């Protein structure tokens, strides 16, 4: 701030001295040129001399002041015009035209003002865009939650209504209705649990409880736990690791949730491939995990949205995905990975679908 005031003061002083110098130079040029012309015309010379004697003694100072003001305005006029342009632009922006930018010209303090104003407008525009996206995301969230919760809830109410009205033929049909209501209740519970977990992860409401563990051992145990589920789906789970151990400092429980979601996704959509492969290796201080299935590929149009909340590649197969088909599993997985300063991506072609995770191996300095 002080530097700007100093530069503006120095610039004004320079313009004052320069205008003053130009005024005296112009005055003396007028006198010298005028005298040379008048000498050639004696009568005009005498008339001019008589006029000069008759003029008030303030004529010459007034002439010098007039020339001084003329040159000063001439030196400042570019700044005045640029300032007027900035004012018009600011007025245009104040009316809500955040796409407008002030042209950056000259090389003085007004240029800095234009640049700073443009930065402010850009940030305001980004903030408004973020607010609009947030509002749109909130509306989409409410719509999706309402739809996903209403579907199982409608079934539960319907079958319980049949039971309450004794509209069943025998105990077998009664048990069938109860089983359906129970399954739908479990699905409803999973939806609510996933929704709360996703919201908490997105707002950093759940602190990470980091501990030291071996990622390879964790994945081996997880594959053992999923052996029955994989077998029921006709899949064989295998694991390959380039190292004997991959030490991690992370929240093991949260990472288990990530891999559970990836395994559940493979079970739901990779049955045709008959195999689930997990590859692990260390690279540049990061653990790289590939979870691959060989079922039907993900369409290229769906790949950019695969981690979006409530996004499902095949809406008709939602129920086949079991109670985990909330549309939030991959979104939760991405949130957990990003909380660990890692990345997750998906590659899919006619041969395989691979989810690739990169996780920092040691993060003891990060705030939990």
């Amino acid at each position: 701030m002080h530097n700007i005031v100093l530069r503006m003061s120095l610039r004004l002083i320079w313009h004052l001295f320069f205008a003053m110098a130009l005024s005296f130079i112009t005055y003396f040029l007028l006198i010298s040129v005028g005298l040379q012309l008048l000498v050639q015309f004696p009568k005009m010379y005498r008339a001019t001399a008589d006029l000069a004697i008759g003029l008030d003694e303030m004529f010459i100072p007034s002439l010098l002041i007039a020339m001084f003001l003329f040159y000063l305005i001439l030196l400042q006029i570019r700044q005045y015009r640029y300032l007027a342009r900035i004012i018009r632009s600011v007025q245009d922006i104040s009316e809500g035209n955040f796409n407008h930018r002030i042209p950056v010209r000259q090389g003085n303090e007004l240029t800095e003002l234009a640049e700073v104003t443009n930065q402010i407008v850009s940030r305001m525009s980004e903030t408004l865009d973020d607010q609009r996206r947030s509002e749109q995301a909130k509306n989409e969230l409410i719509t999706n939650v309402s739809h996903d919760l209403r579907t199982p809830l409608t079934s539960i109410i319907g079958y319980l209504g049949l039971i309450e009205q004794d509209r069943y033929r025998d105990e077998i049909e009664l048990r069938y209705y109860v089983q359906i209501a129970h399954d739908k209740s479990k699905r409803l519970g999973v939806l609510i649990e996933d929704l709360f977990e996703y919201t908490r992860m997105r707002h950093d409401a759940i602190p990470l409880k980091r501990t030291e563990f071996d990622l390879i051992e964790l994945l081996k145990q997880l594959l053992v736990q999923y052996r029955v589920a994989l077998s029921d789906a006709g899949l064989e789970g295998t694991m390959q690791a380039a190292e004997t151990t991959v030490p991690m400092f992370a929240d093991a429980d949260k990472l288990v949730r990530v891999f559970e979601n990836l395994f559940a996704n493979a079970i739901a959509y990779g049955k045709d491939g008959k195999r689930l492969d997990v590859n692990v290796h260390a690279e540049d201080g990061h653990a790289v995990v590939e979870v691959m299935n060989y079922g039907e590929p993900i369409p290229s149009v769906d790949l950019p949205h695969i981690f979006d909340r409530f996004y499902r590649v095949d809406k008709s197969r939602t129920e086949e995905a079991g109670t985990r088909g909330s549309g939030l599993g991959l979104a939760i997985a991405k949130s957990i990975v990003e909380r660990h300063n890692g990345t997750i991506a998906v590659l899919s072609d006619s041969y395989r679908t691979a989810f690739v995770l990169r996780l920092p191996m040691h993060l003891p300095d990060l705030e939990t």
Side-chain angles (χ1 to χ4, degrees), residues 71-263:
Y71 283 121
L72 183 61
I73 293 173
L74 192 64
L75 291 171
Q76 297 278 358
I77 193 167
R78 288 181 67 248
Q79 283 185 282
Y80 293 152
R81 293 175 61 184
Y82 190 38
L83 180 60
R85 179 66 182 274
I86 292 176
I87 293 173
R88 288 197 299 270
S89 297
V90 171
Q91 289 175 341
D92 193 16
I93 293 169
S94 68
E95 294 174 358
N97 185 9
F98 293 105
N99 293 323
H100 183 78
R101 295 295 182 271
I102 301 173
V104 178
R105 298 174 182 171
Q106 302 184 16
N108 51 38
E109 298 75 23
L110 294 180
T111 303
E112 296 180 15
L113 175 62
E115 292 174 345
V116 171
T117 304
N118 286 338
Q119 292 175 5
I120 294 173
V121 174
S122 297
R123 291 172 184 171
M124 290 178 62
S125 180
E126 292 173 1
T127 301
L128 289 175
D129 290 341
D130 290 341
Q131 289 178 349
R132 282 192 288 266
R133 285 193 293 269
S134 177
E135 186 67 23
Q136 181 180 0
K138 183 179 71 174
N139 293 335
E140 291 177 355
L141 177 62
I142 293 173
T143 301
N144 290 323
V145 168
S146 301
H147 176 269
D148 280 22
L149 296 182
R150 183 173 61 244
T151 302
L153 185 60
T154 301
S155 296
I156 293 170
I157 294 173
Y159 283 105
L160 290 181
L162 292 176
I163 295 172
E164 182 187 22
Q165 299 167 19
D166 296 328
R167 295 173 60 183
Y168 52 87
R169 291 188 296 270
D170 49 31
E171 186 178 350
I172 295 177
E173 190 170 46
L174 171 62
R175 289 182 175 275
Y176 175 69
Y177 290 168
V178 171
Q179 181 63 42
I180 292 178
H182 181 256
D183 291 341
K184 296 297 182 180
S185 298
K186 289 196 297 184
R187 173 167 172 74
L188 187 61
V190 169
L191 285 169
I192 295 173
E193 178 187 347
D194 283 353
L195 177 61
F196 277 120
E197 181 167 0
Y198 174 77
T199 304
R200 290 195 298 266
M201 290 300 301
R202 291 296 294 175
H203 293 87
D204 296 340
I206 303 178
L208 297 181
K209 299 177 181 178
R210 290 186 171 89
T211 57
E212 294 184 1
F213 63 92
D214 180 13
L215 181 61
I216 292 178
E217 185 63 28
L218 181 144
L219 288 170
K220 286 181 178 178
Q221 294 177 8
L222 198 57
L223 280 173
V224 170
Q225 294 173 15
Y226 266 79
R227 182 177 298 168
V228 174
L230 290 171
S231 178
D232 291 343
L235 292 169
E236 180 184 358
T238 62
M239 179 174 170
Q240 294 181 350
E243 290 82 14
T244 55
T245 62
V246 176
M248 298 288 294
F249 186 79
D251 190 325
D253 292 336
K254 293 293 185 296
L255 292 184
V256 165
R257 180 67 189 274
V258 171
F259 294 117
E260 284 180 344
N261 286 335
L262 296 181
F263 289 179

Side-chain angles (χ1 to χ4, degrees), residues 7-127:
R7 291 203 306 270
M8 293 180 67
S9 301
L10 292 176
R11 186 183 298 275
L12 179 59
I13 293 172
W14 161 247
H15 283 173
L16 290 172
F17 276 108
F18 195 44
M20 189 180 301
L22 288 175
S23 301
F24 280 107
I25 292 171
T26 304
Y27 173 74
F28 286 115
L29 284 175
L30 287 174
I31 294 298
S32 60
V33 173
L35 288 175
Q36 290 179 5
L37 291 174
L38 291 175
V39 168
Q40 298 178 11
F41 303 97
K43 292 183 179 180
M44 185 179 294
Y45 178 80
R46 285 194 296 271
T48 303
D50 294 338
L51 179 62
I53 294 172
L55 288 174
D56 187 85
E57 60 182 6
M58 291 302 296
F59 173 74
I60 294 176
S62 300
L63 179 62
L64 287 171
I65 292 173
M67 288 188 293
F68 168 75
L69 293 175
F70 171 76
Y71 283 121
L72 183 61
I73 293 173
L74 192 64
L75 291 171
Q76 297 278 358
I77 193 167
R78 288 181 67 248
Q79 283 185 282
Y80 293 152
R81 293 175 61 184
Y82 190 38
L83 180 60
R85 179 66 182 274
I86 292 176
I87 293 173
R88 288 197 299 270
S89 297
V90 171
Q91 289 175 341
D92 193 16
I93 293 169
S94 68
E95 294 174 358
N97 185 9
F98 293 105
N99 293 323
H100 183 78
R101 295 295 182 271
I102 301 173
V104 178
R105 298 174 182 171
Q106 302 184 16
N108 51 38
E109 298 75 23
L110 294 180
T111 303
E112 296 180 15
L113 175 62
E115 292 174 345
V116 171
T117 304
N118 286 338
Q119 292 175 5
I120 294 173
V121 174
S122 297
R123 291 172 184 171
M124 290 178 62
S125 180
E126 292 173 1
T127 301

